[in-house]
Coordinates of all heavy atoms in Angstrom, one line a residue:
M1 N 60.0 193.0 89.9 CA 60.6 191.7 89.7 C 61.8 191.5 90.6 O 62.5 192.5 91.0 CB 61.1 191.6 88.2 CG 61.8 190.3 87.9 SD 62.1 190.1 86.1 CE 60.6 189.1 85.8
A2 N 62.1 190.3 91.0 CA 63.2 190.0 91.9 C 64.5 190.3 91.2 O 64.7 190.3 90.0 CB 63.1 188.5 92.3
E3 N 65.5 190.6 92.1 CA 66.8 190.9 91.6 C 67.6 189.5 91.4 O 67.2 188.5 91.9 CB 67.6 191.7 92.7 CG 67.1 193.1 92.9 CD 67.4 194.0 91.7 OE1 68.4 193.9 91.1 OE2 66.5 194.8 91.4
A4 N 68.6 189.6 90.6 CA 69.4 188.3 90.3 C 69.9 187.7 91.6 O 69.8 186.4 91.7 CB 70.5 188.7 89.4
A5 N 70.4 188.4 92.5 CA 70.9 187.8 93.8 C 69.8 187.1 94.5 O 70.0 186.0 95.1 CB 71.5 188.9 94.6
E6 N 68.6 187.7 94.5 CA 67.4 187.0 95.2 C 67.1 185.7 94.5 O 66.8 184.7 95.2 CB 66.2 187.9 95.2 CG 66.3 189.2 96.0 CD 65.1 190.1 95.8 OE1 64.1 189.9 96.5 OE2 65.1 190.9 94.9
I7 N 67.1 185.7 93.2 CA 66.7 184.5 92.5 C 67.8 183.4 92.7 O 67.5 182.2 92.9 CB 66.5 184.8 91.0 CG1 65.2 185.6 90.9 CG2 66.3 183.5 90.2 CD1 64.8 186.1 89.6
E8 N 69.1 183.9 92.7 CA 70.2 182.9 93.0 C 70.0 182.3 94.3 O 70.2 181.1 94.5 CB 71.5 183.7 92.8 CG 72.4 183.0 91.9 CD 73.6 183.8 91.5 OE1 73.6 185.0 91.4 OE2 74.7 183.2 91.3
A9 N 69.7 183.1 95.3 CA 69.5 182.6 96.7 C 68.3 181.6 96.7 O 68.4 180.5 97.4 CB 69.2 183.7 97.6
M10 N 67.2 181.8 96.0 CA 66.1 180.9 95.9 C 66.6 179.6 95.3 O 66.2 178.5 95.8 CB 65.0 181.5 95.1 CG 64.3 182.6 95.7 SD 63.0 183.2 94.4 CE 62.8 184.9 95.0
L11 N 67.3 179.7 94.2 CA 67.8 178.5 93.5 C 68.7 177.6 94.4 O 68.7 176.4 94.3 CB 68.6 178.8 92.3 CG 67.8 179.0 91.0 CD1 68.6 179.6 89.9 CD2 67.2 177.6 90.5
N12 N 69.4 178.2 95.3 CA 70.3 177.5 96.2 C 69.7 177.1 97.5 O 70.3 176.5 98.4 CB 71.5 178.4 96.5 CG 72.4 178.5 95.2 OD1 72.6 177.6 94.5 ND2 72.9 179.8 95.0
N13 N 68.4 177.3 97.7 CA 67.7 177.0 98.9 C 66.7 175.9 98.6 O 65.5 176.1 98.2 CB 66.9 178.2 99.4 CG 66.3 178.0 100.8 OD1 65.9 176.9 101.1 ND2 66.0 179.1 101.5
E14 N 67.1 174.6 98.8 CA 66.3 173.5 98.5 C 64.9 173.5 99.2 O 63.9 173.1 98.7 CB 67.1 172.2 98.8 CG 66.7 171.0 98.0 CD 66.8 171.1 96.5 OE1 67.7 171.7 96.0 OE2 65.8 170.7 95.9
Q15 N 64.9 173.9 100.5 CA 63.7 174.0 101.2 C 62.7 175.0 100.6 O 61.5 174.7 100.5 CB 63.9 174.4 102.7 CG 62.7 174.3 103.6 CD 62.1 172.9 103.7 OE1 62.9 171.9 103.7 NE2 60.8 172.8 103.8
F16 N 63.2 176.1 100.2 CA 62.4 177.1 99.5 C 61.7 176.5 98.2 O 60.5 176.7 98.0 CB 63.1 178.4 99.1 CG 62.4 179.3 98.2 CD1 61.4 180.2 98.7 CD2 62.6 179.3 96.8 CE1 60.7 181.0 97.9 CE2 61.8 180.1 96.0 CZ 60.9 181.0 96.5
I17 N 62.6 175.8 97.4 CA 62.1 175.2 96.2 C 61.0 174.2 96.5 O 59.9 174.2 95.8 CB 63.3 174.5 95.4 CG1 64.3 175.5 95.0 CG2 62.7 173.7 94.3 CD1 64.0 176.4 93.9
K18 N 61.2 173.4 97.5 CA 60.2 172.4 97.8 C 58.8 173.0 98.3 O 57.8 172.6 97.8 CB 60.7 171.4 98.9 CG 61.7 170.4 98.4 CD 62.2 169.5 99.5 CE 63.2 168.6 99.0 NZ 63.8 167.7 100.0
E19 N 58.9 174.1 99.1 CA 57.7 174.7 99.6 C 57.0 175.5 98.4 O 55.8 175.4 98.3 CB 58.1 175.7 100.7 CG 58.5 175.0 102.0 CD 59.0 175.9 103.1 OE1 58.9 177.1 103.0 OE2 59.5 175.3 104.1
A20 N 57.8 176.2 97.6 CA 57.2 176.9 96.5 C 56.6 175.9 95.5 O 55.5 176.2 95.0 CB 58.3 177.7 95.8
A21 N 57.2 174.8 95.2 CA 56.7 173.8 94.3 C 55.4 173.2 94.9 O 54.4 173.1 94.1 CB 57.7 172.7 94.0
Q22 N 55.4 172.9 96.1 CA 54.2 172.3 96.7 C 53.0 173.3 96.7 O 51.9 172.9 96.3 CB 54.5 171.9 98.2 CG 53.3 171.1 98.8 CD 53.0 169.8 98.2 OE1 53.9 169.0 98.0 NE2 51.8 169.6 97.7
D23 N 53.3 174.5 97.0 CA 52.2 175.5 97.0 C 51.7 175.7 95.6 O 50.5 175.7 95.4 CB 52.8 176.9 97.5 CG 51.7 177.9 97.6 OD1 50.7 177.7 98.2 OD2 52.0 179.0 97.1
A24 N 52.6 175.9 94.6 CA 52.1 176.1 93.2 C 51.5 174.8 92.7 O 50.5 174.9 92.0 CB 53.3 176.5 92.3
F25 N 52.0 173.7 93.0 CA 51.5 172.4 92.5 C 50.0 172.3 93.0 O 49.2 171.9 92.2 CB 52.3 171.2 93.1 CG 52.0 169.9 92.6 CD1 52.6 169.4 91.4 CD2 51.0 169.1 93.2 CE1 52.3 168.2 90.9 CE2 50.7 167.9 92.7 CZ 51.3 167.4 91.5
S26 N 49.8 172.5 94.2 CA 48.4 172.4 94.7 C 47.4 173.3 94.1 O 46.3 173.0 93.8 CB 48.3 172.5 96.3 OG 48.7 173.8 96.6
K27 N 47.9 174.5 93.7 CA 47.0 175.5 92.9 C 46.8 175.0 91.5 O 45.7 175.2 91.0 CB 47.7 176.9 92.9 CG 47.7 177.5 94.3 CD 48.4 178.9 94.3 CE 48.5 179.4 95.7 NZ 49.4 180.5 95.8
F28 N 47.8 174.5 90.8 CA 47.6 174.1 89.4 C 47.1 172.7 89.2 O 46.7 172.4 88.1 CB 49.0 174.3 88.7 CG 49.3 175.8 88.5 CD1 50.4 176.4 89.2 CD2 48.6 176.6 87.7 CE1 50.7 177.7 89.0 CE2 48.9 177.9 87.5 CZ 49.9 178.5 88.2
D29 N 47.1 171.9 90.2 CA 46.6 170.5 90.0 C 45.0 170.7 90.1 O 44.4 170.3 91.1 CB 47.1 169.6 91.1 CG 46.6 168.2 91.0 OD1 46.1 167.8 89.9 OD2 46.8 167.4 92.0
K30 N 44.4 171.2 89.1 CA 43.0 171.6 89.1 C 42.1 170.4 89.4 O 41.1 170.5 90.1 CB 42.6 172.2 87.7 CG 43.4 173.4 87.3 CD 42.9 174.6 88.1 CE 43.7 175.8 87.5 NZ 43.6 176.9 88.4
D31 N 42.4 169.2 88.9 CA 41.6 168.0 89.1 C 42.0 167.3 90.4 O 41.4 166.2 90.7 CB 41.6 167.1 87.9 CG 43.0 166.5 87.6 OD1 43.9 166.8 88.3 OD2 43.1 165.8 86.5
K32 N 42.9 167.8 91.1 CA 43.4 167.2 92.4 C 43.8 165.7 92.2 O 43.6 164.9 93.1 CB 42.3 167.3 93.5 CG 41.9 168.8 93.7 CD 43.1 169.6 94.1 CE 42.7 171.1 94.3 NZ 43.8 172.0 94.1
S33 N 44.4 165.4 91.1 CA 44.8 164.0 90.8 C 46.1 163.7 91.4 O 46.5 162.5 91.5 CB 44.9 163.8 89.3 OG 46.0 164.7 88.8
G34 N 46.9 164.7 91.9 CA 48.2 164.5 92.5 C 49.3 164.5 91.4 O 50.4 164.3 91.7
T35 N 48.9 164.9 90.2 CA 49.8 165.1 89.1 C 49.4 166.3 88.3 O 48.3 166.7 88.3 CB 49.9 163.9 88.2 OG1 48.6 163.6 87.6 CG2 50.4 162.6 88.9
I36 N 50.4 166.8 87.5 CA 50.1 167.9 86.6 C 50.2 167.3 85.2 O 51.2 166.8 84.8 CB 51.2 169.0 86.7 CG1 51.2 169.7 88.1 CG2 51.0 170.1 85.6 CD1 50.1 170.5 88.5
D37 N 49.0 167.4 84.5 CA 49.0 166.8 83.1 C 49.4 167.9 82.1 O 49.7 169.0 82.5 CB 47.7 166.1 82.8 CG 46.5 167.1 82.8 OD1 46.7 168.3 82.6 OD2 45.4 166.7 83.0
A38 N 49.4 167.5 80.8 CA 49.9 168.4 79.8 C 49.0 169.7 79.7 O 49.5 170.8 79.5 CB 49.9 167.7 78.4
S39 N 47.7 169.5 79.9 CA 46.8 170.7 79.8 C 47.1 171.7 81.0 O 47.0 172.9 80.8 CB 45.4 170.3 79.7 OG 44.9 169.7 80.8
E40 N 47.3 171.1 82.2 CA 47.6 171.9 83.3 C 48.9 172.6 83.2 O 49.1 173.8 83.5 CB 47.5 171.1 84.6 CG 46.1 170.6 85.0 CD 46.0 169.5 86.0 OE1 47.0 168.6 86.0 OE2 45.1 169.5 86.8
L41 N 49.9 171.9 82.7 CA 51.3 172.4 82.4 C 51.2 173.6 81.4 O 51.8 174.6 81.6 CB 52.2 171.4 82.0 CG 53.7 171.8 81.8 CD1 54.3 172.4 83.1 CD2 54.5 170.7 81.3
E42 N 50.4 173.4 80.4 CA 50.2 174.4 79.4 C 49.6 175.7 80.0 O 50.1 176.8 79.7 CB 49.3 173.9 78.2 CG 49.2 174.9 77.1 CD 48.4 174.3 75.9 OE1 47.7 173.3 76.0 OE2 48.4 175.0 74.9
E43 N 48.7 175.5 80.8 CA 48.1 176.7 81.5 C 49.1 177.4 82.4 O 49.2 178.6 82.3 CB 46.9 176.2 82.4 CG 46.2 177.4 83.1 CD 45.0 176.9 84.0 OE1 44.4 175.8 83.7 OE2 44.7 177.6 84.9
I44 N 49.9 176.7 83.1 CA 51.0 177.2 83.9 C 52.0 178.0 83.0 O 52.3 179.2 83.3 CB 51.8 176.1 84.7 CG1 50.9 175.4 85.7 CG2 53.0 176.7 85.4 CD1 51.4 174.1 86.2
M45 N 52.4 177.4 81.9 CA 53.4 178.0 81.1 C 52.8 179.3 80.4 O 53.5 180.3 80.2 CB 53.9 177.0 80.0 CG 54.8 175.9 80.7 SD 55.3 174.6 79.6 CE 56.5 175.5 78.6
K46 N 51.5 179.2 80.0 CA 50.9 180.4 79.4 C 50.8 181.5 80.4 O 51.1 182.7 80.1 CB 49.5 180.1 78.9 CG 49.6 179.3 77.5 CD 48.3 179.0 77.0 CE 48.4 178.4 75.6 NZ 47.1 178.1 75.0
D47 N 50.4 181.2 81.7 CA 50.4 182.2 82.7 C 51.8 182.9 83.0 O 51.9 184.1 83.1 CB 49.9 181.6 84.1 CG 48.4 181.4 84.1 OD1 47.7 181.8 83.1 OD2 47.9 180.7 85.0
L48 N 52.8 182.0 83.0 CA 54.2 182.5 83.2 C 54.6 183.4 82.0 O 55.3 184.4 82.2 CB 55.2 181.3 83.3 CG 55.2 180.6 84.7 CD1 56.0 179.4 84.6 CD2 55.8 181.6 85.7
S49 N 54.2 183.0 80.8 CA 54.6 183.8 79.6 C 54.0 185.2 79.7 O 54.6 186.2 79.3 CB 54.3 183.1 78.3 OG 52.9 183.0 78.1
K50 N 52.8 185.3 80.2 CA 52.1 186.6 80.4 C 52.9 187.4 81.4 O 53.2 188.6 81.2 CB 50.7 186.4 80.8 CG 49.7 186.0 79.7 CD 48.3 185.9 80.2 CE 47.5 185.1 79.3 NZ 46.2 184.7 79.8
D51 N 53.2 186.8 82.5 CA 53.9 187.5 83.6 C 55.3 188.0 83.2 O 55.7 189.0 83.5 CB 54.1 186.6 84.8 CG 52.7 186.3 85.5 OD1 51.7 187.0 85.3 OD2 52.7 185.3 86.4
L52 N 56.0 187.1 82.4 CA 57.3 187.5 81.9 C 57.3 188.3 80.6 O 58.4 188.6 80.1 CB 58.1 186.2 81.7 CG 58.4 185.4 83.0 CD1 59.0 184.0 82.7 CD2 59.2 186.1 84.0
K53 N 56.1 188.5 80.1 CA 56.0 189.2 78.8 C 56.8 188.6 77.7 O 57.5 189.3 77.0 CB 56.3 190.7 79.0 CG 55.4 191.4 80.0 CD 55.8 192.8 80.3 CE 54.9 193.6 81.2 NZ 54.5 193.0 82.4
I54 N 56.6 187.3 77.5 CA 57.3 186.5 76.5 C 56.2 185.8 75.7 O 55.0 185.7 76.1 CB 58.3 185.6 77.0 CG1 57.7 184.5 78.0 CG2 59.5 186.3 77.7 CD1 58.6 183.4 78.4
E55 N 56.6 185.3 74.5 CA 55.7 184.5 73.7 C 55.1 183.3 74.4 O 55.9 182.6 75.2 CB 56.5 183.9 72.5 CG 56.6 184.7 71.3 CD 55.3 185.1 70.6 OE1 54.5 184.2 70.2 OE2 55.1 186.3 70.4
P56 N 53.8 183.0 74.3 CA 53.3 181.9 74.9 C 53.8 180.6 74.3 O 54.2 180.6 73.1 CB 51.8 182.0 74.7 CG 51.6 182.9 73.6 CD 52.8 183.8 73.6
P57 N 53.9 179.5 75.1 CA 54.5 178.3 74.5 C 53.5 177.6 73.5 O 52.3 177.7 73.6 CB 54.6 177.4 75.8 CG 53.4 177.9 76.7 CD 53.4 179.4 76.4
S58 N 54.1 176.9 72.6 CA 53.3 176.1 71.7 C 53.0 174.8 72.3 O 53.6 174.5 73.4 CB 54.1 175.9 70.4 OG 55.2 175.0 70.6
K59 N 52.1 174.0 71.7 CA 51.8 172.7 72.3 C 53.1 171.8 72.3 O 53.3 171.1 73.2 CB 50.7 172.0 71.5 CG 49.4 172.7 71.6 CD 48.3 171.7 71.9 CE 47.0 172.3 72.0 NZ 46.5 172.5 73.4
K60 N 53.9 172.0 71.3 CA 55.2 171.3 71.2 C 56.1 171.7 72.3 O 56.8 170.8 72.9 CB 55.9 171.5 69.8 CG 57.2 170.7 69.7 CD 57.9 170.9 68.4 CE 59.1 170.1 68.2 NZ 59.9 169.8 69.4
D61 N 56.2 173.0 72.6 CA 57.0 173.5 73.8 C 56.6 172.8 75.1 O 57.4 172.3 75.8 CB 56.9 175.0 73.9 CG 57.4 175.8 72.8 OD1 58.3 175.3 72.1 OD2 57.0 176.9 72.6
V62 N 55.3 172.7 75.3 CA 54.7 172.1 76.5 C 55.1 170.6 76.5 O 55.6 170.1 77.5 CB 53.2 172.3 76.6 CG1 52.6 171.5 77.7 CG2 52.8 173.8 76.7
Q63 N 54.9 169.9 75.4 CA 55.3 168.5 75.3 C 56.8 168.3 75.6 O 57.2 167.3 76.3 CB 54.8 167.9 74.0 CG 53.3 167.7 73.9 CD 52.8 166.8 74.9 OE1 53.3 165.8 75.3 NE2 51.6 167.2 75.5
D64 N 57.6 169.2 75.0 CA 59.1 169.0 75.2 C 59.4 169.2 76.7 O 60.3 168.4 77.2 CB 59.8 170.1 74.4 CG 59.7 169.8 72.9 OD1 59.3 168.7 72.5 OD2 60.1 170.7 72.1
I65 N 58.9 170.2 77.3 CA 59.1 170.4 78.8 C 58.6 169.2 79.6 O 59.3 168.7 80.5 CB 58.5 171.7 79.3 CG1 59.2 172.9 78.6 CG2 58.5 171.8 80.8 CD1 60.6 173.2 79.1
L66 N 57.4 168.8 79.3 CA 56.9 167.6 80.0 C 57.8 166.4 79.8 O 58.1 165.7 80.8 CB 55.5 167.3 79.5 CG 54.7 166.2 80.2 CD1 54.5 166.5 81.7 CD2 53.3 166.0 79.5
K67 N 58.2 166.1 78.6 CA 59.1 165.0 78.4 C 60.4 165.1 79.1 O 61.0 164.2 79.7 CB 59.5 164.9 76.9 CG 58.9 163.7 76.2 CD 59.4 163.6 74.8 CE 58.2 163.6 73.9 NZ 58.5 163.6 72.5
Q68 N 61.0 166.4 79.2 CA 62.2 166.6 79.9 C 62.1 166.4 81.4 O 63.0 165.9 82.0 CB 62.7 168.1 79.6 CG 64.0 168.5 80.3 CD 64.3 169.9 80.0 OE1 63.8 170.6 79.1 NE2 65.2 170.4 80.8
L69 N 61.0 166.8 81.9 CA 60.8 166.7 83.4 C 60.2 165.4 83.9 O 60.4 165.1 85.1 CB 60.0 167.9 83.9 CG 60.6 169.3 83.6 CD1 59.6 170.4 83.9 CD2 61.9 169.5 84.4
D70 N 59.5 164.7 83.0 CA 58.8 163.5 83.4 C 59.8 162.3 83.5 O 59.9 161.5 82.6 CB 57.7 163.2 82.4 CG 56.9 162.0 82.7 OD1 56.9 161.5 83.9 OD2 56.3 161.4 81.8
T71 N 60.5 162.2 84.7 CA 61.5 161.2 84.8 C 61.0 159.8 85.0 O 61.7 158.8 84.7 CB 62.4 161.5 86.0 OG1 61.6 161.7 87.2 CG2 63.2 162.8 85.8
D72 N 59.7 159.7 85.4 CA 59.2 158.3 85.6 C 58.4 157.8 84.4 O 57.8 156.7 84.3 CB 58.3 158.2 86.8 CG 57.0 159.0 86.8 OD1 56.7 159.7 85.8 OD2 56.4 159.1 87.9
G73 N 58.3 158.7 83.3 CA 57.6 158.3 82.1 C 56.1 158.2 82.2 O 55.5 157.5 81.3
S74 N 55.5 158.8 83.2 CA 54.0 158.7 83.3 C 53.2 159.6 82.4 O 52.0 159.4 82.3 CB 53.7 159.0 84.8 OG 53.9 160.4 85.0
G75 N 53.9 160.5 81.8 CA 53.2 161.5 81.0 C 52.7 162.7 81.7 O 52.0 163.5 81.2
K76 N 52.9 162.7 83.0 CA 52.5 163.7 83.9 C 53.6 164.1 84.9 O 54.5 163.3 85.1 CB 51.2 163.2 84.7 CG 50.1 162.9 83.8 CD 48.9 162.3 84.6 CE 47.8 161.9 83.7 NZ 46.7 161.4 84.4
L77 N 53.5 165.2 85.6 CA 54.5 165.6 86.6 C 53.9 165.4 88.0 O 52.8 165.8 88.3 CB 54.8 167.1 86.4 CG 55.4 167.5 85.1 CD1 55.7 169.0 85.1 CD2 56.6 166.7 84.7
D78 N 54.7 164.7 88.8 CA 54.4 164.6 90.2 C 55.0 165.8 90.9 O 55.7 166.6 90.3 CB 54.8 163.3 90.9 CG 56.3 163.0 90.8 OD1 57.1 163.9 90.8 OD2 56.7 161.8 90.8
V79 N 54.8 165.9 92.2 CA 55.4 167.1 92.9 C 56.9 167.2 92.9 O 57.4 168.3 92.7 CB 54.8 167.2 94.3 CG1 55.4 166.2 95.3 CG2 55.0 168.6 94.9
N80 N 57.6 166.1 92.9 CA 59.0 166.1 92.8 C 59.5 166.5 91.4 O 60.5 167.3 91.3 CB 59.6 164.7 93.2 CG 59.4 164.4 94.6 OD1 59.4 165.2 95.5 ND2 59.1 163.1 94.9
E81 N 58.9 166.0 90.4 CA 59.2 166.5 89.1 C 58.9 168.0 88.9 O 59.6 168.7 88.2 CB 58.5 165.6 88.0 CG 58.9 164.2 88.0 CD 58.0 163.2 87.3 OE1 56.8 163.5 87.2 OE2 58.5 162.2 86.8
F82 N 57.8 168.4 89.5 CA 57.4 169.8 89.4 C 58.4 170.7 90.1 O 58.6 171.8 89.7 CB 56.0 170.0 90.1 CG 55.4 171.3 89.8 CD1 54.9 171.6 88.5 CD2 55.3 172.3 90.8 CE1 54.4 172.9 88.2 CE2 54.7 173.5 90.5 CZ 54.3 173.8 89.2
C83 N 59.1 170.2 91.1 CA 60.2 171.0 91.7 C 61.3 171.3 90.7 O 61.8 172.4 90.7 CB 60.9 170.1 92.8 SG 60.1 170.2 94.4
Q84 N 61.5 170.4 89.8 CA 62.5 170.6 88.7 C 62.0 171.7 87.8 O 62.8 172.5 87.2 CB 62.8 169.3 87.9 CG 63.5 168.3 88.8 CD 64.7 168.8 89.6 OE1 65.6 169.3 89.0 NE2 64.7 168.5 90.9
F85 N 60.7 171.8 87.5 CA 60.1 172.8 86.7 C 60.3 174.2 87.4 O 60.7 175.1 86.7 CB 58.6 172.5 86.5 CG 57.9 173.6 85.7 CD1 58.1 173.7 84.4 CD2 57.0 174.5 86.3 CE1 57.4 174.7 83.6 CE2 56.4 175.4 85.6 CZ 56.5 175.5 84.2
I86 N 60.1 174.3 88.7 CA 60.3 175.5 89.4 C 61.8 175.9 89.3 O 62.1 177.1 89.0 CB 59.9 175.4 90.9 CG1 58.4 175.0 91.0 CG2 60.3 176.6 91.7 CD1 57.5 176.1 90.6
K87 N 62.7 175.0 89.4 CA 64.1 175.3 89.3 C 64.4 175.8 87.9 O 65.2 176.8 87.7 CB 65.0 174.1 89.6 CG 65.1 173.7 91.1 CD 65.9 172.5 91.3 CE 66.0 172.1 92.7 NZ 66.8 170.9 92.9
L88 N 63.8 175.2 86.9 CA 64.0 175.6 85.5 C 63.6 177.0 85.3 O 64.3 177.8 84.7 CB 63.3 174.6 84.6 CG 63.4 174.8 83.1 CD1 64.9 174.7 82.6 CD2 62.5 173.9 82.3
I89 N 62.4 177.3 85.8 CA 61.8 178.7 85.6 C 62.7 179.7 86.3 O 63.0 180.8 85.7 CB 60.4 178.7 86.1 CG1 59.5 177.8 85.3 CG2 59.9 180.2 86.1 CD1 59.5 178.1 83.8
L90 N 63.2 179.4 87.5 CA 64.1 180.3 88.2 C 65.4 180.5 87.5 O 65.9 181.6 87.4 CB 64.3 179.8 89.6 CG 63.1 180.0 90.6 CD1 63.5 179.3 91.9 CD2 62.8 181.4 90.9
A91 N 65.9 179.4 86.9 CA 67.2 179.5 86.2 C 67.0 180.3 84.9 O 67.9 181.1 84.6 CB 67.7 178.1 85.9
I92 N 65.9 180.2 84.2 CA 65.7 180.9 83.0 C 65.5 182.4 83.4 O 66.1 183.3 82.7 CB 64.4 180.4 82.3 CG1 64.7 179.0 81.7 CG2 63.9 181.4 81.2 CD1 63.5 178.3 81.2
T93 N 64.8 182.7 84.4 CA 64.6 184.1 84.9 C 65.9 184.7 85.3 O 66.2 185.8 84.9 CB 63.6 184.1 86.1 OG1 62.4 183.5 85.7 CG2 63.3 185.6 86.5
L94 N 66.8 183.9 86.0 CA 68.1 184.4 86.4 C 68.9 184.7 85.2 O 69.6 185.8 85.1 CB 68.8 183.4 87.3 CG 70.2 183.8 87.8 CD1 70.1 185.0 88.6 CD2 70.7 182.6 88.6
G95 N 68.9 183.8 84.2 CA 69.7 184.1 83.0 C 69.2 185.3 82.3 O 70.1 186.1 81.8
A96 N 67.9 185.5 82.2 CA 67.4 186.7 81.5 C 67.8 188.0 82.3 O 68.1 189.0 81.6 CB 65.9 186.6 81.4
L97 N 67.7 187.9 83.6 CA 68.1 189.1 84.4 C 69.6 189.4 84.2 O 70.0 190.6 84.0 CB 67.9 188.9 85.9 CG 66.4 189.0 86.3 CD1 66.3 188.6 87.8 CD2 65.9 190.4 86.1
K98 N 70.5 188.4 84.2 CA 71.9 188.6 84.0 C 72.2 189.1 82.6 O 73.1 190.0 82.4 CB 72.7 187.3 84.3 CG 72.7 187.0 85.8 CD 73.6 185.8 86.0 CE 73.8 185.6 87.5 NZ 74.6 184.4 87.8
A99 N 71.5 188.6 81.6 CA 71.7 189.0 80.2 C 71.2 190.5 80.0 O 71.8 191.2 79.1 CB 70.9 188.1 79.3
A100 N 70.2 190.9 80.7 CA 69.7 192.3 80.6 C 70.6 193.3 81.2 O 70.5 194.5 80.9 CB 68.3 192.4 81.3
K101 N 71.6 192.9 82.0 CA 72.5 193.9 82.6 C 73.6 194.3 81.7 O 74.0 193.7 80.8 CB 73.1 193.3 83.9 CG 72.1 193.3 85.0 CD 72.7 192.9 86.3 CE 71.7 193.0 87.4 NZ 72.1 192.9 88.7

């Protein structure tokens, strides 16, 4: 797992965030619609929970995150909104690393 300083550097590098988001977005946009819907977001969050060894999200958790990030109200995430998801995950990871010390 990455060190806290590495994650902090990632969070402060807007170009890295955009590239990471675009790469992940294209992998998780299974139907190639150009958006991430609730079922695709749920799959992402379940994969992350396995990687981080945490409880998988409930459907309500997925809906809450989707609502928080869906700034245009479409009910789906576009690549720019997905960038915010990547930032959120990095920030959570950073917080967990700092709390573990």
Side-chain angles (χ1 to χ4, degrees):
M1 178 168 267
E3 295 289 323
E6 292 174 88
I7 293 176
E8 233 168 328
M10 290 177 202
L11 270 168
N12 292 320
N13 183 336
E14 208 54 46
Q15 187 62 36
F16 170 81
I17 297 286
K18 285 180 183 178
E19 289 172 10
Q22 185 63 55
D23 183 50
F25 187 89
S26 64
K27 289 178 186 165
F28 287 110
D29 181 16
K30 302 283 186 197
D31 62 3
K32 303 301 177 207
S33 65
T35 58
I36 300 288
D37 63 25
S39 65
E40 291 165 327
L41 183 60
E42 184 175 11
E43 184 180 331
I44 296 165
M45 291 175 70
K46 283 183 177 180
D47 286 351
L48 282 170
S49 68
K50 284 180 196 169
D51 292 345
L52 298 172
K53 296 174 178 50
I54 59 173
E55 273 298 304
S58 68
K59 293 229 182 258
K60 183 181 180 326
D61 294 334
V62 174
Q63 288 301 319
D64 289 348
I65 292 290
L66 184 59
K67 250 186 236 177
Q68 179 184 344
L69 298 172
D70 179 23
T71 56
D72 66 5
S74 66
K76 301 176 181 183
L77 301 180
D78 62 28
V79 72
N80 293 323
E81 293 164 332
F82 192 72
C83 278
Q84 298 308 309
F85 178 73
I86 297 295
K87 287 179 182 179
L88 179 64
I89 296 304
L90 287 171
I92 290 168
T93 303
L94 179 61
L97 285 172
K98 285 183 174 181
K101 287 188 174 187

